[in-house]
Amino acid sequence: MGSPVLFTCVSDSTEEIRDIRWTVNDRDAQQEGVEVRRMGQTSALRIHGAQIKRDKRVYTCTVTYADGRTEEAHTQKLKVLAPTRE
């Protein structure tokens, strides 16, 4: 069982946002088994139990504005580290 991971995507633009969409390796994030929530100008992607083999992927947030313009933010591949032992 892995640890939870949370990515946030925030638009500081004053323009109206039509959509905020997450992809995982260019596929729709919700079809990839992660939770996505939108709260106004912010969207969050949560992986509940990150695992090394499954979750080492590229996560992308795309913001689409009312005028059709888009902006993207990419992560590098998520690195899931082994837990430390106490």
Side-chain angles (χ1 to χ4, degrees), residues 2-84:
S3 296
V5 174
L6 179 69
F7 292 112
T8 57
C9 181
V10 179
S11 174
D12 58 4
S13 174
T14 58
E15 295 180 51
E16 180 184 347
I17 293 176
R18 183 183 334 151
D19 191 32
I20 301 176
R21 188 169 307 268
W22 285 92
T23 56
V24 179
N25 286 351
D26 297 324
R27 295 184 58 179
D28 183 77
Q30 290 180 316
Q31 293 178 349
E32 291 297 306
V34 296
E35 177 185 350
V36 175
R37 290 193 179 180
R38 180 168 172 194
M39 298 122 329
Q41 301 282 95
T42 302
S43 180
L45 178 146
R46 178 183 298 270
I47 304 168
H48 289 280
Q51 297 178 12
I52 293 171
K53 289 183 180 181
R54 183 190 69 205
D55 297 310
K56 186 178 178 182
R57 303 182 281 181
V58 176
Y59 298 83
T60 303
C61 173
T62 304
V63 177
T64 304
Y65 296 98
D67 64 4
R69 186 174 53 86
T70 62
E71 291 183 331
E72 288 186 349
H74 305 275
T75 67
Q76 297 297 319
K77 280 189 178 179
L78 175 65
K79 294 180 182 179
V80 180
L81 305 175
T84 58

